[in-house]
């Protein structure tokens, strides 16, 4: 009976039924199909009538038998857990439940996790650790693959012929390092100063400080490799500050040999006030040209929770001139905040210094933030863009007309 | 994937798994779709059995998914079985499983077990809102109102914010009970609504009304009504609370605005100490004003008109009643341009006092300061909702004060979008002992935080 049933189900599923019906097999098949549906009902009633062997609660038995084994193994385990261990257990359970939680967690991270003020903060922190872990794993896997490929290639190379001869000994990178350092040393004597204002520690969270330092490290790298580097100053730099500790973490021994000027003095104490220009996106003044005689100040701050006016306030307090990059003038801005990362600012400044070409310099603004470069005056382009957007979104007709009237007044 | 309609044998599951594009996650996807389709529990059981036989164990997330299905279908004995298994298999459970267990059991006749589970959760963490709410509802469904309110108070003490739904159920299940303690607790909820400026929606309001009317010997009567602009209730002729702040609230609010909104972390962010001082002396010398106008904001009311014309119209309109006006602006308004004509500016300065801030300063902060300094009668004109300034205030109590003050003192010129006019009465749940007035929302969700309901429930004791 069972096999007949199976066969029938197949027939019904493969839509042979209408075909068969057309060919005069209607009656028989309908009869059969009725018995089929009947048997289906029965199945649901007794939950599993035809598959007699299937014991639906067997999984419970399996689990319980397993439990007995385990319980006998771990009888004498102490029941009380320290809060740290309890947190660890909770994390483990979350991982088992399929949440974004790291597999391994250090004690320090666990403590940070426990100190998070809210549930969502905890969740975010765990997700961050989880992604970090994933990235690390991926990198490691890629490294391993690369190594293997290299070994294979070496094997093949050694089979075919000896190493190629070249007049240069392979010391390219260390020679480059020396050349770069020479230039940086030159810039420390003759170069144009560029100030990083390190007075924002209070405004930032620990992670923001970490990001800031990473961005500064990148900027310093760009600067060192450029043709005509700036003389970098870290002003308002306090020893043993969070910045300092992060720098040591990033540079290790190289921190002591870095060709930059580090000072706890303010820039106003080192340089004449009228030469200083504070770069900030909040500035009402837009920078027109790069001035080789001025000293530009960049605020060493990452503000994830956009804090408007913080760096402008610094400049206002000290009575310094401010400037913002002419992003609106040259780029058709689409999304994102106008504040750029420190390394982007550095690249833009370096390019301006070398070429004075805004278009070239602003190539370093992330592409996702703008639609393109501007040829016509921005205002007109913006109007058309707004108009296109409103048309696209399909706002009410009135609104479009209003927009139109605004952009093209009757005269 | 479509889950099967009936339990499958191991071979059949194997076949399905092989046919699936990524077999590693087959079980997970299958269980998820079972939950979505609300498949018969036996089908899930057969999958579990298959998995248990194959691996000799079931993963935690598989058990949780199965539990979700059981809770969805109210399979109480299964929920208990899963709990027993989990309890022995894992040292502790995480919040997701507890939520499910408590929700599942609280809807059954074994609801007391949900309470013991809640105690278990409390040992490890702050129970979630759903945990508390399930238990509260279960207790009140079984007429254990005392227990329900104990849990409710505990929930509030732990800063877990209840939904309107659970508040409503407390009213629903207390209907017809004569118990002074209980009455006090429910009045407590109404006061909770008052303190947090929460407005009940229509169905909740109806529950409140029915509860009042059901109190044995209470002689409460409820009527739906609209309050007159004067603040009088047309049903009981009672005058609603004034929208003015008390002396203490008022000074508290002005202090906070100066400290947190104007100065904040750094006075230079919004203005500068010199400028603020100059403004302070300017205001002190000319106090008190009747109306303070945000010049720039008002100048944008009609986009097709010249900006100074807009401002001129507004000033003229407000000056008629012989009021003392202060217009706040920025220095750029003084420079003759296509939008700002010098003659018109001169003309206006005869009718009102003007203060021009630096172009990079924020004039809104000055607006708040000048209005608050002038006293309770002073109103201000802007279309701005001032949300960013409200956000600068650190605690919710002061923010509520700010909203209340704003409702009573902000004038908005009718234009593209219009806010309600300044209220004379306070739009909040209120009582005099023998009357209750409760504003309620017509729709379930309130769309804008600045909108206040216009409809009221008037309850009076005869």
């Amino acid at each position: 009976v069972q096999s007949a049933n199976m066969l029938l189900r197949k027939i019904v599923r493969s839509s042979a039924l209408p075909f068969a019906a057309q060919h005069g097999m209607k009656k028989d098949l309908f009869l059969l199909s009725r018995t089929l549906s009947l048997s289906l009902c029965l199945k649901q009633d007794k939950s599993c009538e035809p598959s007699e062997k299937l014991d639906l609660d067997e999984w419970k038995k399996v689990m319980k038998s397993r439990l007995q084994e385990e319980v006998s193994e771990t009888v004498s385990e102490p029941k009380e857990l320290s809060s740290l261990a309890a947190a660890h257990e909770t994390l483990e359970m979350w991982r088992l439940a399929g949440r974004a939680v790291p597999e391994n967690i250090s004690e320090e991270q666990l403590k940070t996790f426990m100190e998070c003020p809210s549930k969502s903060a905890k969740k975010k922190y765990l997700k961050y650790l989880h992604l970090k872990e994933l990235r690390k794993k991926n990198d490691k896997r890629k490294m391993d693959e690369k190594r293997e490929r290299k070994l294979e290639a070496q094997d093949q190379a050694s089979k075919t012929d000896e190493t190629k001869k070249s007049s240069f000994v392979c010391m390219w990178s260390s020679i480059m390092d020396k050349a770069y350092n020479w230039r940086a040393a030159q810039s420390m004597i003759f170069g144009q100063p560029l100030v990083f204002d390190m007075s924002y520690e209070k405004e930032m969270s620990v992670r923001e400080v970490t990001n800031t330092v990473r961005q500064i490290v990148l900027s310093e790298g760009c600067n060192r490799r450029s043709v005509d580097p700036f003389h970098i100053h870290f002003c308002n730099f306090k020893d043993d500050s969070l910045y300092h500790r992060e720098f040591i973490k990033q540079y290790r021994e190289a921190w002591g040999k870095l060709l930059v000027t580090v000072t706890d003095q303010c820039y106003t104490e080192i340089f004449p006030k009228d030469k200083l220009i504070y770069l900030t996106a909040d500035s009402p003044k837009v920078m027109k040209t790069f001035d080789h005689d001025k000293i530009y100040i960049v605020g060493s701050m990452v503000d994830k929770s956009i804090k408007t006016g913080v760096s402008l306030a610094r400049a206002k307090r000290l009575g310094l001139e401010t400037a913002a990059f002419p992003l609106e003038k040259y780029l058709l801005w689409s999304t994102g905040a106008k504040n750029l990362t420190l390394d982007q600012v550095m690249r833009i400044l370096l390019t301006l210094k070398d070429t004075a070409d805004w278009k070239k310099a602003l190539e370093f603004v992330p592409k996702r933030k703008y639609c393109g470069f501007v040829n016509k005056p921005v205002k007109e382009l913006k109007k058309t863009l707004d108009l296109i957007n409103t048309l696209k979104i399909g706002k009410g007709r009135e609104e479009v007309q209003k927009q139109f009237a605004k952009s093209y007044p009757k005269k | 994937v479509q889950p099967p309609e009936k339990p499958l044998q191991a071979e059949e599951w194997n076949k399905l798994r092989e046919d699936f594009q990524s077999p590693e996650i087959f079980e997970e996807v299958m269980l998820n779709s079972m939950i979505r389709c609300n498949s018969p529990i036996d089908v899930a059981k057969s999958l579990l059995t298959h998995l248990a036989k194959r691996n000799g164990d079931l993963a935690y997330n598989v058990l949780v998914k199965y539990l979700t299905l059981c809770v969805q279908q109210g399979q109480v004995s299964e929920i208990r079985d899963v709990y027993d298994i989990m309890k022995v298999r894992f040292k502790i459970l995480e919040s997701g499983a507890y939520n499910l267990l408590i929700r599942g059991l609280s809807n059954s006749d074994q609801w007391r077990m949900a309470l013991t589970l809640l105690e278990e959760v409390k040992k490890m963490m702050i129970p979630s809102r759903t945990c508390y709410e399930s238990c509260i509802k279960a207790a009140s469904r079984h007429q254990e109102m005392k227990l329900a309110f104990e849990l409710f108070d505990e929930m509030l003490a732990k800063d877990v914010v209840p939904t309107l739904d659970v508040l409503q159920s407390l009213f629903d299940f207390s209907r017809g009970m004569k118990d002074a303690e209980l009455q006090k607790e429910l009045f407590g909820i109404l006061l909770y609504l008052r303190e947090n400026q929460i407005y009940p929606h229509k169905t909740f309001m109806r529950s409140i009304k029915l509860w009042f009317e059901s109190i044995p010997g209470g002689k409460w009567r409820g009527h739906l009504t609209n309050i007159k602009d004067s603040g009088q209730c047309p049903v009981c002729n009672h005058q609603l609370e004034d929208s003015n702040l008390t002396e203490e609230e008022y000074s508290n609010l002005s202090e906070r605005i100066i400290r947190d909104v104007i100065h904040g972390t750094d006075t230079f962010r919004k203005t500068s100490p010199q400028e603020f001082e100059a403004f302070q002396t300017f205001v002190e010398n000319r106090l008190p004003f009747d109306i303070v106008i945000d010049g720039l904001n008002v100048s944008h009311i009609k986009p097709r008109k010249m900006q100074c014309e807009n401002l001129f119209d507004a000033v003229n309109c407000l000056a008629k009643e012989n009021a003392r006006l202060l217009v706040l602006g920025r220095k750029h308004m003084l420079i003759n341009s296509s939008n700002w004509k010098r003659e018109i500016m001169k003309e206006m300065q005869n009718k009102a006092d003007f203060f021009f801030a630096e172009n990079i300063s924020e004039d809104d902060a000055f607006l708040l300061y000048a209005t608050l300094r002038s006293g309770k009668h002073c109103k201000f004109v802007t279309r701005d909702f001032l949300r960013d300034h409200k956000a600068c205030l650190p605690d919710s109590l002061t923010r509520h004060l700010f909203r209340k003050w704003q409702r009573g003192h902000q004038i908005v010129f009718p234009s593209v979008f219009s806010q309600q006019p300044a209220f004379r009465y306070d739009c909040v749940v209120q009582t005099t002992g023998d009357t209750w007035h409760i504003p309620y929302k017509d729709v379930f969700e309130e769309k804008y935080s600045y909108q206040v309901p216009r409809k009221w429930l008037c309850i009076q004791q005869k």
Side-chain angles (χ1 to χ4, degrees), chain A residues 93-304:
Chain A
M93 292 318 286
W94 280 349
R95 200 176 64 76
L96 289 180
R99 293 209 211 172
V101 170
E103 248 172 77
N104 302 304
I105 189 163
S106 71
E107 199 156 303
E108 197 183 335
Q109 286 169 334
L110 204 58
K111 271 183 193 147
T112 324
F113 162 73
M114 281 161 67
E115 278 158 18
C116 286
S118 66
K119 271 187 190 173
S120 65
K122 281 182 178 164
K123 236 189 231 170
K124 261 188 210 159
Y125 182 64
L126 288 177
K127 195 176 174 194
Y128 157 72
L129 290 179
H130 175 67
L131 289 177
K132 205 168 132 187
E133 195 177 52
L134 277 186
R135 217 170 293 133
K136 229 177 190 172
K137 258 189 209 160
N138 262 336
D139 286 350
K140 194 168 178 295
R141 201 201 51 197
K142 275 182 199 158
M143 286 280 276
D144 287 346
E145 280 173 12
K146 206 175 168 186
R147 195 175 303 133
E148 240 162 66
R149 255 181 281 137
K150 217 176 183 179
L151 279 176
E152 256 171 50
Q154 263 176 7
D155 266 5
Q156 277 184 341
S158 64
K159 270 175 208 163
T160 48
D161 58 4
E162 328 78 75
T163 43
K164 286 166 207 157
K165 300 226 164 132
S166 124
S167 55
F168 294 109
V169 189
C170 200
M171 279 177 65
W172 186 243
S173 69
S174 75
I175 285 175
M176 284 310 280
D177 272 349
K178 271 185 193 149
Y180 289 147
N181 279 339
W182 171 251
R183 266 193 219 148
Q186 291 269 313
S187 82
M188 283 189 73
I189 307 169
F190 306 112
Q192 181 179 3
L194 178 75
V195 176
F196 281 96
D197 180 3
M198 314 296 266
S199 65
Y200 292 99
E201 202 171 295
K202 272 189 201 147
E203 262 89 6
M204 287 189 282
S205 67
V206 178
R207 254 177 85 188
E208 282 170 333
V209 175
T210 316
N211 291 347
T212 308
V213 169
R214 193 164 299 153
Q215 287 179 14
I216 293 178
V217 171
L218 282 175
S219 322
E220 191 270 327
C222 292
N223 185 53
R224 197 175 350 136
R225 278 188 289 276
S226 73
V227 189
D228 181 17
F230 283 106
H231 175 194
I232 295 180
H233 286 72
F234 293 154
C235 289
N236 292 321
F237 190 93
K238 302 273 177 301
D239 270 341
D240 221 30
S241 58
L242 210 52
Y243 279 122
H244 192 182
R245 267 174 278 160
E246 280 299 325
F247 268 122
I248 290 172
K249 241 189 229 171
Q250 292 276 328
Y251 277 115
R252 309 233 175 101
E253 304 88 60
W255 170 245
K257 295 181 222 154
L258 217 55
L259 293 170
V260 298
T261 300
V262 181
T263 169
D264 61 348
Q265 282 181 302
C266 184
Y267 27 85
T268 46
E269 294 170 275
I270 309 175
F271 304 107
K273 257 190 183 181
D274 56 324
K275 287 220 163 179
L276 292 169
I277 296 183
Y278 211 117
L279 290 175
T280 162
D282 295 322
S283 171
K285 259 198 187 154
V286 174
M287 195 169 157
K288 286 212 175 80
T289 51
F290 181 84
D291 193 335
H292 294 267
D293 295 328
K294 295 277 184 191
I295 295 147
Y296 291 97
I297 306 166
V298 182
S300 304
M301 179 168 72
V302 168
D303 52 342
K304 294 206 168 181

Side-chain angles (χ1 to χ4, degrees), chain A residues 2 5 9 39 43 46-56, chain B residues 6-12 42 46:
Chain A
Q2 205 179 333
N5 251 345
R9 226 174 301 146
S39 71
K43 250 176 261 156
K46 293 194 180 174
S47 73
C48 60
E49 194 256 327
S51 24
E52 302 97 322
K53 286 172 286 176
L54 199 58
D55 176 7
L56 284 176
Chain B
K6 61 166 200 76
L8 297 185
Q9 295 282 359
E11 310 87 64
E12 292 170 298
D42 286 344
S46 80

Side-chain angles (χ1 to χ4, degrees), chain A residues 43-44 47 51 54-60 62-63 66-67 70-71 77 89-90 93-94 96-97 99 119 284 307-310 313 316-317, chain B residues 5-9 42 45-46 48-49 52-53 56-58 60-61 63 66 78 81 85 88-92 94-95 266 268-269 271 360:
Chain A
K43 250 176 261 156
Q44 270 174 355
S47 73
S51 24
L54 199 58
D55 176 7
L56 284 176
D57 285 332
E58 202 170 330
W59 62 276
K60 290 180 192 168
V62 173
M63 290 301 282
R66 218 194 117 88
L67 298 177
E70 255 178 39
V71 168
E77 205 185 315
E89 285 290 316
T90 323
M93 292 318 286
W94 280 349
L96 289 180
R99 293 209 211 172
K119 271 187 190 173
K307 299 178 189 78
T308 26
V310 173
K316 260 160 94 181
R317 168 169 289 136
Chain B
E5 281 159 21
K6 61 166 200 76
L8 297 185
Q9 295 282 359
D42 286 344
K45 275 183 178 177
S46 80
L48 255 55
T49 302
K53 275 206 257 178
D57 192 12
L58 289 176
Y60 181 74
N61 66 335
L63 286 175
Y66 176 65
E78 281 302 306
D81 280 354
I85 287 171
V88 199
R89 173 75 181 77
F90 303 98
K91 254 185 255 168
I92 56 164
E94 47 80 54
S95 48
D266 187 350
F268 283 98
R269 278 177 75 173
T271 164
I360 52 170

Side-chain angles (χ1 to χ4, degrees), chain B residues 329-341:
Chain B
R330 294 220 180 97
K331 289 208 166 133
H332 73 77
M333 290 156 74
L334 287 171
I335 300 164
N336 203 11
S337 68
S338 60
N339 260 321
W340 298 99
K341 294 278 171 249

